[in-house]
Amino acid sequence: MSGMANTSDTSTTETAAQATRSTEEPARNANRSTTPGSEGFKRFIGSNWAERDESLPAAREQAPYAAERRARVSAAFTGIRLIIPAGDMKQRANDTEYPFRAHSAFAHLTGWGADSEPGAVLVFEPSDDGHDTTVYFRERAGRDSEEFYANPAIGEFWIGARPSLAHVAADLAIDTRGIEEFDRVIDAVDTSTLVLREADPAITERVDHARIRFAAEAALSTNASDAPFSIEVGAEHEPDGELARVLSELRLVKDKFEIAELRAAIDATQRGFTEVIEELPRITSEVRGERVIEGVFATRARLDGNDVGYGSIAAAGPHATILHWTRNDGPVVPGDLVLLDAGVERDSYYTADITRTFPVNGTFSEVQRQVYDAVLEAADAAFAVVRPGAIFREVHAAAMEVIAKKTAEWGFLPVSAEESLRPENQFHRRYMVHGTSHHLGLDVHDCAQARREMYLDGELQPGMVFTIEPGLYFQPDDLTVPVEFRGIGVRIEDDILVTPDGAENLSAGIPRTADEVEAWVRGDAAR
């Protein structure tokens, strides 16, 4: 499929990253190519195929929710063209690539998740009624073309059949066009056009060049070129940041579909955690038992969803004191604790984010339970302040009061808990340097580009979903704590929904108290 010619002196003759994808990969391995090229073979492989089922699906469940989100974006950017790419495949090594995941903003506004097409682009084109929205993507190739059998990047023989424009239009309830027509969008770019910069660097570069070209032509047409005209190519376009902010803040409050997906992700995560517990005999028998934990959970994530929502943390013993331990290559030893931080990502991309800490042998030691109960008290204190109208940072503050109190009681701080809580001190944070909460949704750290006054200093609203995850981490070589505390790491993380009259712990069904956790590990049906 050839792209339309672009009149821009900065464009290529083919269409954006899709053209690159279709040509680069075969070239990487041209020296070992064995694809037949005879005319006889081409005629033979292009003939005698059964008719495809061309029946169109009903619109998917999330389609009306995505349409409402697009309407809100349209209202925020009246008269402005918006370009929101899904992104493209990312190279892992030579001709192998990482599994594709569309940009979360694209998925949020289209409802297209794990089955989305690499290189797709959502365009808001200004119209009398606000915007016309269209998804551009590379549809499947005909069987009379060489692409469907000879191109390992996008050919049907290699990656399976791609959908048609009509199929996606019906499925998402949105207009669709072939990616070759996206050149016309680039040709129409003006200085007001906005692009989601981080989603697809190749498309962002094309938009930047097109804006420069438009501004230069406008300057010439108004005789305003007496002074040299220049715009730095690739410079951060400030209004683009406004687009990213709006798209991020749009996700702060979840709709009914999103909440249902998060509940399903949490249910699947609970199954994954339970299966890890059931595999403890095997886990403890392996030299790299943490890898078994990771693998068991990943299997459940792939069975019940798209994948894990982030790199699972399967941290046993002193590894539990390392906040983002994802190497997961250590042993799992009876007498130690395991900190498992993992979440299933649904096909819609909504992910759970849950942490449980449990004793490998089914019984907390006295010190382990002491630490565990302190973290649980901090989690419960944070949950108690969640209600509409509360300020997001108050959740963290409530947890920190408990962390300061406990570490002061144990004699670990050089001052009292009250003194440590002062902004100029914060000594207790040595044992918990991370925050207590973050928003959750399509991204495990959702809404990250929202303004501070909407996030950290924002008021909680019904429909918000976020984590509460206090912890205590005593490094193996930390001389400020007694030796029996060293190497103990505990975190308890739950996913919280703000309701009209308070809050709901969506993950409360996963054992939380020390007694419940011990019974869980021991397989006690009476827990």
Side-chain angles (χ1 to χ4, degrees):
M1 186 184 297
S2 62
M4 296 173 58
N6 190 314
T7 57
S8 168
D9 59 359
T10 58
S11 68
T12 64
T13 58
E14 294 184 283
T15 302
Q18 287 73 22
T20 301
R21 242 180 105 227
S22 67
T23 57
E24 268 190 359
E25 182 149 348
R28 292 178 194 161
N29 294 292
N31 63 334
R32 66 173 179 84
S33 175
T34 58
T35 304
S38 69
E39 291 302 316
F41 171 80
K42 292 177 183 179
R43 287 193 297 271
F44 184 69
I45 199 170
S47 62
N48 293 314
W49 296 102
E51 292 293 321
R52 297 182 189 267
D53 180 4
E54 299 292 352
S55 58
L56 300 180
R60 61 181 59 186
E61 180 185 0
Q62 56 265 52
Y65 294 97
E68 171 60 24
R69 298 165 197 156
R70 293 194 297 273
R72 293 171 63 187
V73 173
S74 176
F77 294 97
T78 302
I80 299 173
R81 180 180 299 102
L82 308 175
I83 299 174
I84 301 168
D88 214 333
M89 302 292 289
K90 293 181 173 60
Q91 184 183 14
R92 183 179 185 273
N94 189 32
D95 59 344
T96 62
E97 292 158 323
Y98 291 103
F100 176 68
R101 188 190 190 281
H103 192 281
S104 294
F106 176 90
H108 191 237
L109 294 175
T110 63
W112 213 1
D115 57 340
S116 56
E117 282 295 304
V121 189
L122 172 64
V123 175
F124 286 69
E125 192 67 36
S127 68
D128 293 339
D129 297 325
H131 286 86
D132 295 328
T133 53
T134 304
V135 171
Y136 295 78
F137 71 96
R138 188 184 186 101
E139 71 169 333
R140 65 189 181 205
R143 285 165 169 164
D144 56 348
S145 75
E146 293 183 30
E147 176 190 296
F148 95 107
Y149 69 86
N151 191 320
I154 53 179
E156 183 174 326
F157 265 40
W158 300 86
I159 65 170
R162 301 199 308 277
S164 68
L165 293 173
H167 181 99
V168 173
D171 188 15
L172 303 182
I174 192 171
D175 290 339
T176 59
R177 292 183 183 176
I179 193 63
E180 70 277 6
E181 295 191 50
F182 181 65
D183 281 349
R184 295 175 181 169
V185 177
I186 295 297
D187 285 342
V189 163
D190 56 20
T191 52
S192 70
T193 299
L194 302 181
V195 62
L196 187 62
R197 301 189 69 83
E198 68 182 22
D200 190 317
I203 289 178
T204 296
E205 183 176 10
R206 294 186 75 197
V207 172
D208 281 344
H209 280 278
R211 287 190 293 216
I212 291 169
R213 180 199 65 222
F214 180 89
E217 291 173 352
L220 288 171
S221 67
T222 58
N223 296 318
S225 58
D226 294 338
F229 173 81
S230 67
I231 296 178
E232 183 183 351
V233 175
E236 195 68 28
H237 190 68
E238 183 59 33
D240 288 339
E242 179 75 359
L243 174 61
R245 177 190 68 76
V246 168
L247 297 183
S248 195
E249 291 177 357
L250 183 65
R251 307 205 315 253
L252 282 167
V253 176
K254 271 58 180 179
D255 58 38
K256 290 182 180 180
F257 174 80
E258 293 176 291
I259 293 170
E261 287 296 288
L262 287 166
R263 289 186 187 277
I266 291 165
D267 288 346
T269 300
Q270 180 171 354
R271 288 190 286 275
F273 275 45
T274 296
E275 288 165 357
V276 167
I277 296 293
E278 292 170 348
E279 288 287 337
L280 275 174
R282 178 187 169 206
I283 290 165
T284 56
S285 70
E286 295 285 350
V287 173
R288 297 204 285 183
E290 291 175 344
R291 289 280 168 93
V292 183
I293 294 175
E294 179 182 1
V296 169
F297 187 84
T299 299
R300 176 51 53 194
R302 291 291 281 169
L303 288 172
D304 282 1
N306 178 50
D307 207 334
V308 293
Y310 52 96
S312 300
I313 299 170
H319 289 165
T321 67
I322 301 172
L323 300 181
H324 284 173
W325 175 258
T326 56
R327 284 171 54 185
N328 302 336
D329 61 358
V332 177
V333 179
D336 282 346
L337 298 179
V338 168
L339 187 157
L340 177 56
D341 184 337
V344 171
E345 177 187 84
R346 297 273 289 170
D347 288 335
S348 60
Y349 290 162
Y350 289 89
T351 184
D353 181 10
I354 295 165
T355 306
R356 289 296 185 264
T357 307
F358 56 87
V360 177
N361 60 7
T363 303
F364 289 102
S365 71
E366 182 179 350
V367 174
Q368 288 170 348
R369 180 180 276 258
Q370 183 179 348
V371 175
Y372 189 94
D373 286 344
V375 173
L376 183 63
E377 183 178 335
D380 290 344
F383 180 76
V385 306
V386 178
R387 66 192 183 282
I391 305 302
F392 188 79
R393 54 181 159 75
E394 293 174 353
V395 178
H396 174 72
M400 288 303 95
E401 288 184 9
V402 176
I403 297 298
K405 180 184 71 172
K406 291 298 182 180
T407 52
E409 286 177 1
W410 298 338
F412 299 169
L413 305 182
V415 297
S416 68
E418 293 73 19
E419 290 173 299
S420 187
L421 285 165
R422 293 174 183 170
E424 67 270 21
N425 291 329
Q426 299 288 301
F427 300 117
H428 56 287
R429 297 299 301 278
R430 176 185 180 112
Y431 313 110
M432 182 186 155
V433 298
H434 62 80
T436 304
S437 299
H438 58 78
H439 280 270
L440 182 68
L442 284 165
D443 293 340
V444 66
H445 296 151
D446 211 25
C447 315
Q449 291 168 298
R451 290 166 293 177
R452 181 185 178 94
E453 58 265 31
M454 298 290 287
Y455 200 129
L456 185 61
D457 294 330
E459 285 192 4
L460 301 185
Q461 301 176 47
M464 287 184 169
V465 179
F466 52 82
T467 65
I468 290 179
E469 50 179 308
L472 281 169
Y473 315 91
F474 302 112
Q475 302 298 322
D477 57 353
D478 189 343
L479 302 182
T480 68
V481 302
V483 64
E484 60 268 24
F485 282 82
R486 297 174 195 169
I488 293 178
V490 172
R491 181 163 64 253
I492 302 169
E493 179 180 18
D494 287 293
D495 300 341
I496 310 301
L497 168 67
V498 182
T499 62
D501 57 357
E504 178 186 353
N505 184 344
L506 299 176
S507 49
I510 306 176
R512 295 180 73 251
T513 70
D515 288 344
E516 289 172 342
V517 169
E518 287 183 339
W520 188 32
V521 176
R522 292 196 298 261
D524 183 354
R527 60 174 173 84

